Each structure stands twice: as C-alpha cells, then as structure tokens.
C-alpha cells in the first residue's frame, strides 16, 4: 500500500466538545481564512513567536497533556504542522486555549518520537522526511509484520478474524470521507488488532510506533487522495476476507504487496 498521510484513533475523530477550552474554536482543523496577518497581529500582542501558523485545537480527552499530544499527532498526519516549520509552545497554547506548559510537554514527547526537533529559544521544528526514510520504515515493518501475519493466517480460527470486521469497515468509512488523520488512526487500529492475536505486547508496541512514523507526511510531498485511501482500505477488507476464508495463498500475496508497495 501507499504510506497513509492521515491517522485514526480507532475510528473517525469525534468533534470538539463545546467549551472544552475557553476561547477554543469549534472546528477541528486550521481555519483556511486564518491568514498570517491576523495570526501575527494577535501573537505580537501576546509577545509570542510567529514562525508559522499553528493548527487549530482538536478533540481533547484524558489529561490536558494527552489531549494536546493527540491533537498535535493528528495535525502532523493531516499536514497542518508543516515539515521544516518552527512552532512555539506559547503560540500553540494560545490556539488551544491552554498554557504553554502542556503544549511544550507534548512537543517534547513528539521530539522523542522523532516527529519534531527542539530549536533552542524558538520552539520545535517539524521534521523533514524524504522517500528514502519512508522506504526504510516500510522495510523494517515488513520484516516484523509479514512473518507474524502469515503465521497467524495458519493458526487463528475464522471466527476470531471475523471479530475484526468492524475495524476493517472503519478504514473504509474514514477513506470514504477523505479524512487522512482518521484513516491513519483506523489503519493503525486494524494492524494492532491483527498483531495482538500473536500475544506479544512488545511486538505490538514496536510495530505500532513504526506504523505511526510511516504516516507523517513527506517534505513537499503530495497530499494523499481519497481514491488512494479507498484503495488502501479495500486491501484491508480483502486481507480480512482471505483470512476468514483461510485462503493462505491470497493472504500471502496481499500481505507481501501491502508492504512491498510501501503502504500502511
């Protein structure tokens, strides 16, 4: 498959809860009408950095730090956080309606994951990635996941595969509306569920982290089209159908194509 440049937290992202943050806009994406002049004027009044436009706040759950981390991850896969651009914690915090502290903590976690790098006295620069890194991630994922999936195809009964049908359907639903972030989340949820059947928690954690990193957009890369998302989602459905039917030849062909094609 082609590398998804969107995400999914187990389904289509919920909308903002009204009043989740004081002064936070209701929409979940960066408003297109928010031009640089308005943003810089407001940021200058607050003495904030204005290296680039921060994304609008998204859905928030659990702890504030966790909520912000989730929103920033979605902004990464959606391309709202632009590779090579520097974002300051105070400016992002103002958009989320929170202090700079939880934003800074979330960004530091993203730095550990390799999504951003710390720029002293300025903020955080979104990492720039090229096709070679994406190909390397696909190769490593294939080394981990392909043999596990083929082993599971020979040992897991059909009824257990059938229980994963809602996850495969969720990827189709996210692809149908062209939501890259939701699609990427649904895609990871499907892969996690498959690998969980192997009973190895460490394998699931490592594979999921590699999968997440493969979903960050390339620098100056083209946006993923809805048709591409639909094609990828169809591969998930076809793979699940083959697993339920215990058609090992089809499973093997689909799994290898899934990774050799550098898809999610």
């Amino acid at each position: 498959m082609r590398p998804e440049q969107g995400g999914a937290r187990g389904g289509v992202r919920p909308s903002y809860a009204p009043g989740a943050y004081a002064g936070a806009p209701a929409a979940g994406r960066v408003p297109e009408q928010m031009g640089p002049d308005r943003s810089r004027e407001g940021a200058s009044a607050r003495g904030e950095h204005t290296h680039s436009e921060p994304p609008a706040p998204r859905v928030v759950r659990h702890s504030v730090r966790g909520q912000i981390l989730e929103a920033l991850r979605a902004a990464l896969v959606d391309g709202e956080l632009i590779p090579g651009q520097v974002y300051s914690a105070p400016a992002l915090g103002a958009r989320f309606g929170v202090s700079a502290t939880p934003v800074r903590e979330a960004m530091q976690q993203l730095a550990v994951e390799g999504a951003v790098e710390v720029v002293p006295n300025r903020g955080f620069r979104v990492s720039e990635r090229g096709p070679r890194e994406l190909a390397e991630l696909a190769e490593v994922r294939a080394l981990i996941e392909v043999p596990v999936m083929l082993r599971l195809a020979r040992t897991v009964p059909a009824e257990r595969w059938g229980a994963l049908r809602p996850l495969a359907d969720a990827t189709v639903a996210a692809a149908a509306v062209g939501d890259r972030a939701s699609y990427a989340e649904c895609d990871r949820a499907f892969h996690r569920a498959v690998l969980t059947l192997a009973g190895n928690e460490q394998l699931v954690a490592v594979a999921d982290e590699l999968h997440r990193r493969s979903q960050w957009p390339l620098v100056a890369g083209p946006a993923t089209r809805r048709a591409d998302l639909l094609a990828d989602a169809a591969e998930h459905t076809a793979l699940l159908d083959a697993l339920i039917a215990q058609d090992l030849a089809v499973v093997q062909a689909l799994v290898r194509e899934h990774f050799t094609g550098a898809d999610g």
Side-chain angles (χ1 to χ4, degrees):
M1 294 180 185
R2 293 152 297 284
E4 306 87 41
Q5 297 185 6
R9 290 178 284 278
V12 177
R13 286 169 299 157
S15 57
Y16 286 106
Y21 288 121
R29 298 181 181 277
V30 178
E32 294 183 0
Q33 69 274 21
M34 184 183 293
D37 291 339
R38 187 197 312 179
S39 175
R40 289 171 183 167
E41 179 182 357
S44 297
R46 294 185 295 270
E48 297 166 355
H49 297 290
T50 57
H51 304 294
S52 52
E53 290 292 326
R58 292 174 176 272
V59 175
V60 288
R61 297 194 294 261
H62 314 307
S63 70
V64 174
R65 174 188 174 277
Q67 295 160 6
I68 299 301
L69 178 60
E70 179 179 289
L72 290 173
R73 281 173 169 166
L76 276 169
V77 295
D78 253 351
E80 294 172 2
L81 290 176
I82 303 170
Q85 294 292 315
V86 176
Y87 298 88
S88 72
L92 287 169
R95 301 304 177 195
F96 284 102
V98 298
S99 71
T101 299
V103 176
R104 188 173 292 111
E105 292 173 347
M107 280 294 207
Q108 288 169 345
Q109 175 59 37
L110 290 177
V112 171
E113 297 174 3
V116 302
E117 57 185 278
V118 177
V119 181
N121 301 319
R122 294 182 62 197
F124 301 85
R125 178 182 290 112
V126 179
S127 299
E128 299 180 81
R129 307 167 57 246
R132 178 174 179 175
E133 180 179 348
L134 200 61
E136 290 174 349
L137 285 168
E139 181 179 4
V140 176
R141 287 187 62 209
L143 290 172
I144 294 175
E145 294 193 43
V146 169
V148 173
M149 286 188 180
L150 293 179
R151 173 166 57 85
L152 292 174
R154 297 180 176 89
T155 58
V156 174
E159 59 270 18
R160 296 195 68 184
W161 292 121
L164 304 188
R165 177 68 67 186
L167 296 176
D169 292 343
T171 67
V172 175
V177 296
D179 190 326
R180 289 177 292 165
S182 289
Y183 179 82
E185 292 175 6
C186 291
D187 182 31
R188 290 201 316 276
F190 177 80
H191 279 259
R192 281 197 304 269
V194 171
L195 295 177
T196 295
L197 295 175
N200 186 327
E201 295 182 2
Q202 298 304 312
L203 180 148
V204 174
V206 170
D208 189 59
E209 178 59 22
L210 290 169
H211 195 166
R212 184 191 300 280
R213 293 183 63 180
S214 74
Q215 294 171 333
W216 302 336
L218 298 176
V219 58
T224 304
R225 300 175 305 164
R226 178 160 53 176
D228 294 331
L229 297 181
L230 286 169
D232 291 345
E235 289 186 14
H236 290 145
T237 301
L239 174 60
L240 188 58
D241 289 342
L243 288 166
I244 292 172
Q246 296 183 321
D247 189 334
L248 299 185
V250 174
V251 168
Q252 181 166 330
L254 286 170
V255 169
R256 294 196 181 283
E257 171 60 25
H258 188 79
F259 290 98
T260 58
D263 286 320

